[in-house]
Amino acid sequence: MGWTACLWGAGFSVMSLTSAHADTQYRVVNDGTDSCSVVFTPNAKTSEDAPHLMATFEKSGKKGLVSIGVTAAEEWEQLQFVHQNQRSKFVGIEQVRPKRVANEPFWVTMEADGDASVLFHLTGRDGAEEYHSTTYRSLTAADIATALSDECGAKGGPFAASEIGSLEEEKSLELKPRDKRHIRWVLNQKYSDSMDVSRGAMTDRERNWLAKYASANGLEPSRYLNEELAALLLKEKFKPKRKNLRGEPGFKRFEDWISYDDVDSDTCAIVSFAKKVKGFKTYTVPRMEIHADPAARGNSLYFDFVTPNRFNDDFPITAIVDGRKIRLNIEDGRVRPIDMRNGFASADIVRAIRRGKEIVIRGTGLNGKSKHSVRFSALGFTAAFHKMARDCNRPKVRQWLR
């Protein structure tokens, strides 16, 4: 069964292929999902819309799945592959385990030419009955394998990432945990839209970004840290990422608070960003959030007073609003009001914020030793709260302010 793939508009970067044919160009399409594609730039094409060869790796199980097709597949009729003066129907590769790729007819054809320059054409007819074609003069099976390995992390079969450097060399640097964290955060901020980064070891995706960063800065594209590469990354300034809410439905700013419609959770929400953080660092600027569900009844609300949360729930956590101390609770990782004996949550913190100017959340860090504090502004809170109630048609939530 032949396979072609549709490439939708997505962020991509243009790279030179680091293989036997260094003049080969491609672009990487990686939207943050489990699918990553490499689109190879032809040496010639008859139009801007002509089909481009595309290799895709999807994470699935231990080894993932490999596909090879063309861009904008739904546009093409009679798509053909012209190689060694022979014209045949284009038959790609559809979601095959890496170890089986070498047995696929397309791969066998490409490998038959070895390391020599492979000349082939892709040609097809669009819906307007016009023909378009692309020409590749120097793309080999090895080139495709290297690109899909280096950029998308494909493993097994013919796929093996270019291993410049080594894990042993990286370990010999004896980088401190905070230095490793800084490097990972810099890479994620440069190459992804992620709003959070785990605190574990460097991922395959981050190692691919490491190679990109090295190439962009005139160094060998290593997937491992060396002294020069680590020093360069540690010099990079990192400023915590701020969640961009401008443009969200219902967006309106009230001094230091924002009201908007959170389409991801289908709620009306208000949020304020931390003015100052002490004792810990986060990839994103901590936020104070309150959500109202339009489908709920009564005065129920969702509270998350510090997100991301780095407080230890085995120790007391307190809000200080203009000098007044109010005890809080951590439940399911969320900093929220304490529960009263009747089973309802206390409204003390909400009423204090309504009258206050500043909120400081204090507690103990995850290590059980360090003291953490996050400072927020209360200015604009009441107006934003009222708008949240109106937007969700939940007038009873105003009872929290009384």
Side-chain angles (χ1 to χ4, degrees):
M1 176 180 175
W3 180 80
T4 53
C6 178
L7 180 68
W8 300 103
F12 63 84
S13 57
V14 178
M15 300 286 291
S16 295
L17 190 61
T18 54
S19 70
H21 301 107
D23 59 336
T24 303
Q25 298 285 318
Y26 58 76
R27 54 188 172 123
V28 181
V29 181
N30 193 332
D31 60 2
T33 66
D34 288 338
S35 178
C36 170
S37 298
V38 177
V39 182
F40 295 94
T41 305
N43 299 99
K45 56 187 177 183
T46 59
S47 72
E48 291 299 318
D49 299 324
H52 288 47
L53 189 72
M54 179 170 71
T56 299
F57 179 69
E58 301 173 57
K59 290 183 179 178
S60 176
K62 292 183 178 181
K63 295 296 183 181
L65 299 170
V66 174
S67 300
I68 296 180
V70 298
T71 57
E74 79 285 354
E75 298 181 7
W76 307 112
E77 300 173 2
Q78 300 182 12
L79 186 62
Q80 296 183 328
F81 179 70
V82 184
H83 176 247
Q84 294 185 348
N85 296 319
Q86 293 186 358
R87 184 181 298 269
S88 60
K89 182 180 178 180
F90 176 79
V91 180
I93 298 175
E94 182 177 7
Q95 294 186 317
V96 171
R97 295 292 182 189
K99 67 179 182 180
R100 299 186 183 278
V101 167
N103 298 324
E104 291 291 311
F106 176 83
W107 200 266
V108 171
T109 299
M110 293 292 291
E111 278 200 318
D113 291 330
D115 293 330
S117 296
V118 181
L119 171 65
F120 67 90
H121 311 271
L122 294 172
T123 181
R125 186 178 67 187
D126 64 18
E129 303 295 318
E130 294 184 4
Y131 283 89
H132 305 261
S133 65
T134 50
T135 300
Y136 290 89
R137 295 195 180 94
S138 59
L139 186 64
T140 67
D143 292 333
I144 297 173
T146 298
L148 207 57
S149 298
D150 287 350
E151 303 298 341
C152 299
K155 299 177 181 178
F159 304 99
S162 300
E163 296 298 314
I164 299 174
S166 67
L167 186 58
E168 288 71 22
E169 182 180 8
E170 180 175 292
K171 288 180 177 179
S172 71
L173 299 176
E174 297 184 346
L175 294 171
K176 296 179 180 179
R178 66 170 179 266
D179 293 334
K180 294 178 182 178
R181 180 189 64 198
H182 179 91
I183 288 171
R184 293 184 64 219
W185 284 3
V186 167
L187 292 172
N188 275 273
Q189 192 171 74
K190 283 182 174 292
Y191 298 114
S192 81
D193 294 324
S194 173
M195 290 304 297
D196 195 15
V197 178
S198 69
R199 296 197 164 224
M202 189 175 290
T203 65
D204 282 342
R205 193 177 176 200
E206 288 167 345
R207 291 202 177 279
N208 292 336
W209 293 336
L210 189 63
K212 285 186 181 183
Y213 181 87
S215 296
N217 286 274
L219 304 177
E220 286 188 304
S222 174
R223 297 179 77 247
Y224 298 97
L225 290 166
N226 53 48
E227 189 173 352
E228 187 175 13
L229 185 53
L232 200 60
L233 281 159
L234 290 172
K235 286 181 181 178
E236 293 268 8
K237 300 293 184 183
F238 177 80
K239 185 177 181 180
K241 206 167 186 177
R242 186 183 176 108
K243 188 175 183 179
N244 184 15
L245 299 174
R246 189 173 294 279
E248 293 292 326
F251 175 92
K252 189 170 182 179
R253 183 181 296 279
F254 299 90
E255 296 187 80
D256 291 323
W257 281 81
I258 294 169
S259 175
Y260 73 105
D261 299 333
D262 189 337
V263 294
D264 293 332
S265 61
D266 194 24
T267 62
C268 307
I270 58 174
V271 61
S272 185
F273 293 91
K275 295 291 187 180
K276 193 171 184 179
V277 177
K278 283 187 177 181
F280 67 105
K281 293 182 179 180
T282 55
Y283 180 70
T284 53
V285 177
R287 309 180 301 279
M288 180 178 290
E289 296 184 354
I290 301 176
H291 293 247
D293 185 344
R297 296 181 179 180
N299 65 351
S300 62
L301 289 174
Y302 174 96
F303 294 92
D304 199 349
F305 284 127
V306 183
T307 180
N309 171 28
R310 295 290 182 261
F311 291 102
N312 191 321
D313 59 8
D314 289 331
F315 295 83
I317 183 166
T318 306
I320 302 173
V321 186
D322 295 354
R324 178 189 174 188
K325 292 184 178 181
I326 302 170
R327 190 160 56 92
L328 299 177
N329 186 34
I330 297 180
E331 184 178 286
D332 297 327
R334 292 184 292 122
V335 180
R336 57 182 299 277
I338 61 169
D339 292 325
M340 299 183 295
R341 291 180 181 178
N342 59 7
F344 293 93
S346 170
D348 287 351
I349 177 68
V350 179
R351 292 165 183 162
I353 295 174
R354 176 177 66 85
R355 296 188 294 266
K357 294 182 180 179
E358 183 181 72
I359 315 110
V360 180
I361 311 292
R362 288 182 178 173
T364 303
L366 295 176
N367 62 6
K369 298 178 181 179
S370 59
K371 299 301 179 183
H372 292 353
S373 69
V374 189
R375 191 178 302 271
F376 294 94
S377 168
L379 300 179
F381 171 78
T382 303
F385 195 99
H386 280 296
K387 182 175 182 295
M388 175 180 65
R390 291 195 303 271
D391 288 350
C392 267
N393 192 24
R394 295 280 308 284
K396 289 188 177 181
V397 302
R398 295 189 178 95
Q399 293 172 0
W400 289 89
L401 299 174
R402 297 171 189 164

